[in-house]
Amino acid sequence: MMTPREDMTRSYLIGLASLTVAVFVMLSIATPNFLTFGNLNSMGFQFPEFGLLALAVLPTMISGGIDLSVVAIANLAAIIAAVVMKSGGAWGWLAIPAALVVGAACGALNGFLIAVLRLPPILATLGTLQLFSGIGIVITRGPAITGLPSWYPELGIISVFDIIPLPLIVFALVALLLGAWLRATPTGVRLRLYGSNPVAARFAGIREPSLIFSIYSASGMIAALAGLVVLARVNSANADYGASYLLLVILINILAGVSPFGGFGTVTGVVLAVILLQLVSSGLNFLAFSAFARDLFFGGVLIVVMSVRVLAERGQFSLPFRKAKAV
């Protein structure tokens, strides 16, 4: 039998999917050049990088925390990969596992600060955001790292069967694996229980430190993978790339229905929110809005969505309380 929470989830996801389809249809009608292979293919290359960052934030928000350092982790992993590629010669392929190890290590540091030192996640990851960005600046000494081996940037422009961009395939695989990890593994179940009620989870015997370590390490690895995708697409590594992505990935998770208080969130919702915001961003481009106007729009949407959710939750919980009190 479907629980009320699952029923509400399905209804929300259906509404989000319907909104995505409606925006797609409106843009196709309003802008003749929108529904072309070139534009759709371009979007397929663009959104996987911030889509992966949104997936990286998802498990941390389900746990009741947040990771503000994902963009910095992605940039640092890309920088390490670029350094290894440029100096590794025939061993340049080791850049990919090296970047993933760096991402996992950065995530483990976040987990240590949160689980062992008991720092609030928002403050711990805000501090590591500055730390990782600073390390990246020290390594690059300011300018971007360029001159990568030719084989790697080619990965950023390859389309499988000349139709499906390789970064899009990477995004889809990560989404499937993360969805399976959250729903079909003991860690995923413990993650949701811990996010819903940390005190009850501790009394139930859930080992909080190891759980948080695994959550933030996984987040760091996904962020590092996003950095590798960016590195292949732009053919350079920079410590301050994607400064506006942090707002975007948080907006994606909130729009996806992820609870900012923990305990709930779906990969399906994140994927739909990523596609919706990419459609909106492309539509604003066609309508000649600047990047600053897009940031203004996304910030406004985040405030509106959060306000609507808070008001809806207040109404949802206050009504049964008042009825019970009247009886």
Side-chain angles (χ1 to χ4, degrees):
M1 179 180 294
M2 183 179 295
T3 66
R5 182 65 178 180
E6 290 173 338
D7 182 62
M8 186 172 64
T9 302
R10 176 173 292 184
S11 300
Y12 183 85
L13 292 178
I14 290 174
L16 186 60
S18 301
L19 178 60
T20 303
V21 172
V23 171
F24 179 81
V25 171
M26 286 189 294
L27 289 174
S28 301
I29 296 173
T31 55
N33 294 327
F34 178 82
L35 196 60
T36 61
F37 175 78
N39 181 56
L40 297 178
N41 187 259
S42 176
M43 287 193 294
F45 279 105
Q46 291 174 17
F47 77 75
E49 55 191 54
F50 62 80
L52 287 169
L53 291 172
L55 291 176
V57 172
L58 172 62
T60 66
M61 289 188 67
I62 294 176
S63 73
I66 195 169
D67 190 350
L68 301 180
S69 67
V70 288
V71 177
I73 293 175
N75 289 334
L76 181 58
I79 289 169
I80 297 299
V83 170
V84 173
M85 267 187 263
K86 292 191 67 174
S87 60
W91 296 93
W93 60 271
L94 289 174
I96 296 176
L100 296 177
V101 169
V102 168
C106 292
L109 176 59
N110 285 333
F112 173 79
L113 296 174
I114 295 167
V116 179
L117 299 186
R118 298 292 181 178
L119 297 182
I122 190 170
L123 296 181
T125 57
L126 182 62
T128 55
L129 181 156
Q130 297 297 326
L131 174 64
F132 301 148
S133 296
I135 294 173
I137 292 173
V138 169
I139 295 174
T140 62
R141 298 184 180 180
I145 298 177
T146 57
L148 303 180
S150 59
W151 64 268
Y152 191 77
E154 291 176 359
L155 298 177
I157 59 174
I158 290 177
S159 292
V160 179
F161 306 118
D162 294 327
I163 298 176
I164 308 174
L166 181 59
L168 181 58
I169 295 177
V170 173
F171 171 73
L173 289 175
V174 172
L176 290 173
L177 291 174
L178 181 61
W181 183 64
L182 291 175
R183 296 191 65 87
T185 66
T187 302
V189 174
R190 296 187 189 105
L191 168 60
R192 294 179 185 279
L193 292 175
Y194 178 80
S196 299
N197 194 325
V199 176
R202 294 188 195 105
F203 279 107
I206 292 178
R207 297 179 179 178
E208 181 181 359
S210 61
L211 178 63
I212 292 178
F213 266 103
S214 63
I215 293 167
Y216 282 87
S217 295
S219 173
M221 289 188 68
I222 298 174
L225 192 56
L228 291 172
V229 170
V230 171
L231 182 63
R233 191 173 75 86
V234 303
N235 195 18
S236 64
N238 199 322
D240 60 358
Y241 180 85
S244 63
Y245 278 180
L246 184 58
L247 166 66
L248 186 58
V249 298
I250 294 175
L251 171 59
I252 287 169
N253 279 274
I254 297 300
L255 186 61
V258 181
S259 172
F261 307 108
F264 179 74
T266 64
V267 172
T268 302
V270 170
V271 172
L272 288 172
V274 167
I275 296 173
L276 174 59
L277 289 184
Q278 177 60 58
L279 292 174
V280 171
S281 179
S282 297
L284 292 175
N285 282 335
F286 276 104
L287 296 174
F289 282 89
S290 68
F292 300 105
R294 288 199 300 272
D295 290 343
L296 176 65
F297 175 82
F298 289 147
V301 170
L302 177 60
I303 293 174
V304 170
V305 172
M306 281 297 300
S307 300
V308 170
R309 286 188 58 172
V310 168
L311 292 175
E313 288 177 1
R314 286 177 180 175
Q316 179 182 351
F317 293 113
S318 63
L319 183 59
F321 176 78
R322 284 196 296 266
K323 285 184 177 180
K325 190 174 182 180
V327 174

